[in-house]
């Protein structure tokens, strides 16, 4: 019997003495990546190996993330155990005991904590479409109340401003409401109209865009009519029954008044004078009941007023237009050991348009409640301003081997804690290069990036650094080092405007490696969506999970954007019968399709994808299909149907084969009269096989009456809440999230 003082308590129920013979050459050829650790241990029972382990240590859910290193069964055993914070130890009578590794890596085996979220009871949760619905739509709401909730959300979270350019969507501007709300907090009228369309449809209400003079607006259908709700200029116009009027009714009322008063038509000066002192109430009756105008006829932001309404709606009726959008972005803050996310209620003057044009947003220096943000507090905004700059940092834990758990690939490398050799991570076999591949996903747009590291290069050795922006499909070598020393590598040109990239370090020469590795990126985020504090008692809620990540396939359909952004061709699609020059239109044959390969590091849990499309003929449309056997068979998941001059359809499919890591996504359709794709997005969610929960430290910094206040809270469970009391109106400064180890 084993003594109870030993590291592992072995019981008859969990004792495994495995004696099958396995030759070393066969073991070296065997593939272990993706298999359970228990299966691998059974296969590794080789010559001279009598494995003894406890089911408390070798759990059924443990899987091997990367191919283990080594040639003999014992070397492979050591490598795969290290991935799980375990090690092999000599036992009695030639047995090999599996025990915990006494390093800090073993103390916290969770590779990544996903969907880390902190909410304040003062700010709605808009981190995803589902979160928005839960936060802003209440049981028992009428369609009118739902429509107003949609309108208030867009007004509250998207300020009218010079738009951010990502060069991904149609028109190069951002066309995803959840991304706008969380990353930017501002855009122009066409984005506001598309946001209304998206949220209204998510709430179960039909919606459409309308073109009027020099302005884009949206209508929502409820109570039997199409009704205008303009979130850009913050207005709607009630009829006598109190319900909002539609665009055509407003056009009719404005044109009728101007026909009777022709000297005012198109005359800014006369219209501006007329509207003052509630003069606007004497204009068209359809405009007279709104509460959007102040006494002098200005809208809440005071950038436009009654005079502009009189010109915008002096137009032809019936101009219906789908402004279009993408769906799929969601806030998924993920934290590995050594990773920290700082979001600030201030900015350093950085924004996504700094490089590549588009202009500086005026609101970058505005304070909440002032100038054209004077309206914001009325709609619940308690942030100091609108644009925030933060910092995403990752100090990769090399020496203790914890980097293995979250790396995409580790080949021929050892950590200092594993073989007691230096540097912190280094190559083992001199005849084979060492490889380290890391993924750097972010919920917020990267504005720049730097990798700093201490290189250790053996005589005749080398370190090559390559970066991939298209999920590992292509790699671009960005630096090469042949001497030891401290290095700083500017990643900005490769990561600007991106939310994800992969970086590969390849080491040549035995002992070549790194003593340290740190990434730092300045990011842009909206202050509006952050969990701000208010005067008095504040209830904060922490949550984390599920252990999932996402691979995204999205590129501009305009080849002219190559260099500014990924284009769709970067994702290696196969295109048949479609014109791929700016948008994807089905050509003269009347049939066409485009197929995108999608691959995830670990088991795929769902596919979320769709498009902004056009199919003018009732017989036409675009089928959404997926294949999980390399294209041998296809499953039609949904259809984006005609007739429509423009619409958006996005779906979520969770019925994937068990263990699937590869898929083909196909858009296939027919065209008799203009069928095509104007913008698209594909998201493949996957399991983080070593993900889970680990304690998270949440640090708040704010000022009260000029005195800095701080509070740190450690969340020890996946769902927790706590309170912060502010004795005076707080000036918010920062919130920092990091692992608490």
């Amino acid at each position: 019997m084993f003594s109870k003082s030993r590291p592992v308590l072995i019981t008859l129920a969990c004792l495994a003495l495995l004696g099958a013979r396995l030759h070393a050459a066969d073991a070296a050829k065997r593939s272990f990546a993706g298999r359970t650790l228990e299966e691998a241990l059974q296969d590794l029972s080789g010559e001279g190996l009598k494995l003894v382990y406890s089911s408390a240590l070798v759990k059924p859910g443990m899987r091997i993330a990367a191919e283990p290193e080594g040639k003999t069964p014992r070397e492979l055993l050591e490598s795969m155990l290290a991935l799980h914070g375990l090690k092999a130890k000599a036992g009695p009578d030639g047995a090999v005991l599996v025990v915990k590794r006494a390093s800090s890596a073993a103390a916290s085996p969770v590779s990544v904590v996903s969907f880390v979220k902190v909410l304040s009871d003062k700010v709605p949760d808009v981190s995803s479409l589902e979160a928005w619905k839960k936060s802003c739509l209440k049981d028992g709401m009428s369609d009118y109340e739902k429509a107003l909730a949609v309108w208030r959300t867009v007004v509250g979270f998207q300020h009218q401003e010079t738009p951010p350019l990502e060069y991904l969507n149609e028109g190069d501007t951002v066309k995803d409401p959840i991304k706008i709300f969380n990353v930017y907090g501002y855009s122009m009228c066409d984005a506001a109209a598309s946001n209304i369309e998206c949220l209204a449809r998510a709430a179960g209400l039909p919606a459409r865009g309308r073109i009027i003079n020099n302005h884009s607006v949206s209508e929502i259908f409820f109570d039997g009519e199409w009704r205008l709700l303009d979130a850009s200029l913050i207005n709607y116009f009630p009829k006598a029954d109190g319900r909002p009027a539609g665009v055509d009714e407003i056009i009719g009322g404005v044109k009728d008044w101007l026909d009777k008063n022709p000297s005012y038509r198109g005359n800014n000066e006369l219209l501006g004078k007329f509207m003052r002192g509630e003069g606007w109430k004497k204009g068209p009756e359809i405009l007279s009941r709104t509460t959007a105008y102040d006494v002098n006829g200005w809208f809440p932001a005071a950038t436009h007023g009654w005079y502009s309404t009189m010109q915008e709606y002096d137009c032809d009726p019936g101009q219906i237009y789908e402004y279009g959008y993408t769906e799929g972005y969601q806030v998924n803050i993920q934290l590995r050991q050594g990773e920290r996310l700082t979001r600030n209620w201030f900015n350093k003057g950085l924004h996504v348009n700094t490089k590549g044009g588009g202009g500086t947003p005026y609101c970058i220096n505005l304070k909440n409640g002032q100038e054209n943000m004077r309206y914001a507090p009325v709609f619940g905004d308690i942030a100091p301003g609108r644009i925030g700059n933060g910092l995403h940092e990752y100090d990769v834990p090399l020496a203790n081997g914890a980097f293995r758990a979250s790396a995409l690939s580790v080949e021929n490398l050892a950590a200092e804690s594993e073989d007691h050799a230096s540097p912190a991570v280094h190559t083992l076999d001199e005849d084979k290069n060492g490889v380290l591949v890391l993924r750097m996903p972010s919920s917020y747009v990267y504005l720049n990036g730097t990798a700093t590291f201490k290189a250790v290069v053996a005589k005749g050795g080398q370190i090559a650094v390559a970066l991939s922006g298209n999920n590992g499909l292509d790699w671009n070598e960005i630096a090469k080092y042949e001497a030891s020393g401290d290095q700083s590598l500017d990643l900005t040109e490769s990561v600007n405007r991106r939310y994800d990239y992969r970086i590969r370090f390849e080491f040549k020469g035995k002992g070549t490696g790194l003593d340290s590795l740190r990434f730092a990126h300045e990011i842009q985020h909206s202050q509006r969506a952050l969990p701000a504090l208010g005067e008095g008692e504040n209830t904060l809620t922490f949550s984390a999970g599920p252990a999932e990540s996402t691979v995204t396939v999205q590129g501009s359909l305009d080849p002219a954007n190559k260099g500014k952004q990924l284009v769709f061709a970067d994702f290696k699609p196969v295109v048949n019968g479609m014109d791929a020059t700016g948008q994807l239109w089905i050509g003269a044959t009347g049939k066409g399709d485009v197929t995108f390969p999608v691959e995830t590091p670990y088991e795929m849990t769902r596919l979320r994808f769709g498009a902004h499309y056009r199919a003018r003929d009732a017989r036409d449309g675009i089928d959404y299909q997926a294949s999980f056997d390399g294209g041998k068979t296809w499953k039609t998941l949904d259809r984006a149907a005609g007739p429509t001059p423009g619409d958006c359809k996005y779906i979520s499919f969770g019925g994937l084969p068990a263990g699937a890591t590869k898929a083909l996504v196909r858009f296939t359709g027919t065209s008799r009269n203009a069928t095509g794709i104007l913008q698209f997005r594909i998201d493949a969610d996957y399991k983080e096989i070593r993900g889970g929960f680990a304690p998270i430290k949440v640090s708040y910094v704010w000022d009260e009456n000029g005195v800095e206040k701080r509070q740190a809270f450690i969340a020890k469970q996946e769902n927790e809440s706590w309170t912060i009391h502010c004795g005076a109106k707080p000036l918010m400064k920062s919130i920092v999230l990091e692992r608490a180890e």
Side-chain angles (χ1 to χ4, degrees):
M1 286 296 278
F2 294 107
S3 166
K4 291 185 178 180
S5 64
R6 290 189 178 273
V8 182
L9 178 62
I10 307 298
T11 66
L12 290 175
C14 63
L15 183 64
L17 293 174
L18 308 168
R21 302 176 65 85
L22 179 66
H23 292 290
D26 293 334
K29 294 177 182 178
R30 194 181 301 271
S31 176
F32 292 99
R35 300 178 65 188
T36 68
L37 179 60
E38 188 173 14
E39 290 173 341
L41 293 182
Q42 292 172 0
D43 279 1
L44 271 185
S45 298
E47 269 184 44
L49 284 184
K50 293 191 296 182
L51 293 178
V52 181
Y53 60 89
S54 164
S55 58
L57 290 179
V58 181
K59 299 177 182 178
M62 287 182 170
R63 289 188 177 273
I64 300 171
E67 205 62 55
E69 302 157 7
K71 296 179 179 179
T72 68
R74 181 59 183 262
E75 290 173 346
L76 292 168
L77 173 67
E78 293 282 6
S79 179
M80 64 178 63
L81 290 178
L83 293 171
H84 295 84
L86 305 173
K87 67 177 183 179
K89 178 181 177 181
D93 301 323
V96 178
L97 309 181
V98 176
V99 299
K100 285 186 177 181
R101 183 177 293 272
S103 68
S104 59
S108 182
V110 172
S111 63
V112 61
V113 183
S114 299
F115 288 98
V116 175
K117 184 189 297 186
V118 177
L119 298 176
S120 161
D121 60 352
K122 305 297 189 294
V123 182
D125 182 5
V126 293
S127 58
S128 68
L129 267 178
E130 289 304 312
W132 168 77
K133 288 195 287 187
K134 184 177 179 180
S135 185
C136 297
L137 301 181
K138 306 303 179 185
D139 291 341
M141 273 187 166
S142 67
D143 286 351
Y144 179 33
E145 290 169 328
K146 290 179 183 178
L148 287 181
V150 168
W151 176 76
R152 290 192 185 102
T153 300
V154 181
V155 171
F157 286 87
Q158 186 201 297
H159 176 64
Q160 175 81 353
E161 182 60 271
T162 300
L165 301 184
E166 287 189 352
Y167 300 99
L168 276 174
N169 296 106
E170 185 186 21
D172 298 335
T173 59
V174 179
K175 296 287 179 62
D176 182 317
I178 303 303
K179 182 187 285 188
I180 287 178
F181 298 164
N182 289 279
V183 181
Y184 297 107
Y186 62 93
S187 195
M188 287 294 282
C189 55
D190 60 331
S194 74
N195 291 344
I196 290 278
E197 291 174 356
C198 181
L199 296 189
R201 292 167 185 166
L205 302 174
R208 66 186 186 184
R210 297 296 301 268
I211 300 173
I212 57 177
N213 287 340
N214 300 313
H215 191 32
S216 302
V217 295
S218 52
E219 290 180 307
I220 301 177
F221 189 85
F222 59 92
D223 293 348
E225 298 180 21
W226 287 103
R227 303 176 186 275
L228 167 82
L229 291 167
D230 182 354
S232 169
L233 299 185
I234 317 175
N235 63 67
Y236 58 90
F237 302 97
K239 299 192 290 185
D241 64 0
R243 294 292 194 261
V247 169
D248 290 340
E249 294 172 284
I250 300 168
I251 290 173
V254 168
K255 290 177 74 71
D256 182 66
W257 192 90
L258 289 173
D259 287 343
K260 296 174 181 176
N261 300 274
S263 62
Y264 287 90
R265 177 165 271 132
N267 192 319
N268 252 353
E269 183 178 358
L270 285 180
L271 291 168
K273 290 179 179 178
F274 185 91
M275 73 181 190
R276 296 172 190 160
E278 295 193 334
W280 57 270
K281 291 186 176 181
K282 301 173 185 176
E285 184 264 348
I286 196 68
L287 306 181
S288 65
R289 301 179 191 88
T290 186
T291 58
Y293 298 128
D294 68 10
V295 66
N296 289 317
W298 291 99
F299 283 132
T303 58
H304 297 70
W306 182 85
Y307 74 95
S308 54
T309 308
M310 294 297 293
Q311 296 173 80
E312 290 159 356
Y313 289 89
D314 185 19
C315 63
D316 295 329
Q319 298 184 78
I320 299 170
Y321 185 75
E322 175 71 16
Y323 287 100
Y325 50 85
T326 55
E327 288 183 19
Y329 170 89
Q330 57 186 348
V331 178
N332 180 6
I333 295 172
Q334 297 180 288
L335 295 173
R336 296 166 283 195
Q337 289 188 47
E339 199 160 17
R340 173 189 294 183
L341 177 66
T342 302
R343 293 171 292 172
N344 298 312
W345 278 273
F346 58 85
N347 66 72
K348 298 169 59 177
L350 303 176
H351 57 91
V352 75
N353 290 358
T354 301
K355 294 178 177 289
T360 299
Y362 182 69
C363 66
I364 198 164
N365 294 316
L366 281 187
K367 294 182 179 179
N368 189 9
Q370 297 183 358
E371 296 189 44
N372 61 23
M373 285 191 67
R374 65 187 69 185
Y375 70 91
V378 177
F379 287 86
D381 190 357
I382 60 174
R386 183 53 57 112
I387 297 176
N389 289 153
L391 187 64
H392 181 186
E393 304 166 276
Y394 183 28
D395 284 298
V396 184
L398 299 178
N400 67 1
F403 69 92
R404 292 183 181 277
S406 57
L408 291 183
S409 180
V410 180
E411 300 176 19
N412 192 35
L413 293 176
E416 187 175 358
S417 65
E418 296 164 353
D419 64 358
H420 306 290
S422 61
V425 65
H426 50 272
T427 56
L428 285 171
D429 189 341
E430 62 183 350
D431 297 325
K432 180 182 177 183
N433 288 353
V435 177
L436 172 62
V437 180
L438 299 171
R439 185 178 173 215
M440 293 296 296
S442 172
S443 290
Y444 302 100
V445 67
Y446 287 136
L447 301 179
N448 55 43
T450 305
T452 55
F453 50 93
K454 186 172 184 178
V456 177
V457 182
K459 184 178 180 180
Q462 184 184 89
I463 300 175
V465 185
L467 190 143
S468 175
N470 62 349
N471 302 327
L473 295 174
D474 296 302
W475 290 91
N476 177 38
E477 187 175 282
I478 56 176
K480 189 177 290 185
Y481 303 91
E482 296 180 345
S484 300
D486 293 328
Q487 305 293 343
S488 180
L489 181 57
D490 188 351
L491 305 175
T492 302
E493 291 303 316
S494 299
V495 306
N496 182 42
R497 299 192 196 90
R498 307 293 172 82
Y499 293 79
D500 189 12
Y501 69 92
R502 301 180 186 190
I503 192 164
R504 182 180 69 202
F505 291 82
E506 188 164 359
F507 307 96
K508 179 182 178 182
K510 183 176 176 61
T512 296
L514 301 174
D515 247 338
S516 62
L517 175 59
R518 180 179 186 272
F519 297 91
H521 302 84
E522 289 181 299
I523 58 172
Q524 182 172 346
H525 60 78
S526 172
Q527 295 183 34
R528 175 65 176 94
L530 297 183
L533 308 176
E535 184 174 359
E537 202 78 0
N538 297 273
T539 299
L540 291 308
T541 304
F542 171 90
S543 62
E548 289 189 347
S549 192
T550 302
V551 168
T552 298
V553 174
Q554 184 183 22
S556 172
L557 295 177
D558 185 351
N561 285 335
K562 182 75 172 177
K564 296 179 180 178
Q565 184 55 270
L566 293 166
V567 297
F568 92 106
D570 289 325
F571 293 97
K572 316 299 182 186
V574 176
V575 183
N576 296 302
M578 301 187 83
D579 177 10
T581 55
Q583 294 167 338
L584 286 168
W585 296 104
I586 295 176
T589 64
K591 295 181 180 180
D593 60 76
V594 57
T595 302
F596 292 91
V598 185
E599 184 173 358
T600 54
Y602 308 116
E603 184 177 358
M604 212 178 286
T605 55
R606 73 189 62 81
L607 282 170
R608 298 179 285 117
F609 67 97
H612 170 202
Y613 74 98
R614 180 174 298 163
R616 291 191 181 276
D617 195 288
R619 296 167 291 178
D620 291 330
I622 299 172
D623 288 332
Y624 292 4
Q625 299 180 333
S627 172
F628 302 98
D629 56 10
K632 295 177 183 178
T633 60
W634 291 90
K635 183 177 182 65
T636 298
L637 307 179
D638 215 320
R639 179 173 174 81
T644 177
D647 203 349
C648 295
K649 189 173 190 66
Y650 293 86
I651 66 169
S652 178
F653 174 68
L656 287 73
T661 60
K662 295 182 180 180
L664 296 175
V665 172
R666 183 165 72 181
F667 299 91
T668 179
T670 60
S671 178
R672 295 167 178 83
N673 180 12
T675 301
I677 294 172
L678 286 76
Q679 49 197 334
F680 77 99
R681 178 172 169 132
I682 302 168
D683 291 289
D685 300 326
Y686 67 90
K687 294 179 181 178
E688 287 284 3
I689 61 170
R690 297 207 62 230
F693 181 73
I696 301 294
K697 182 180 179 181
V698 183
S699 301
Y700 268 95
V701 186
W702 72 97
D703 282 352
E704 290 181 25
N705 296 322
V707 178
E708 185 174 276
K709 303 282 186 177
R710 292 176 175 266
Q711 193 218 58
F713 175 81
I714 295 180
K716 299 178 181 179
Q717 302 178 61
E718 292 183 358
N719 295 280
E720 291 202 49
S721 63
W722 74 104
T723 60
I724 295 178
H725 181 82
C726 295
K729 182 179 179 181
L731 175 63
M732 301 306 302
K733 296 177 75 173
S734 302
I735 179 172
V736 183
L737 302 174
E738 59 193 317
R739 296 275 286 264
E741 297 98 343

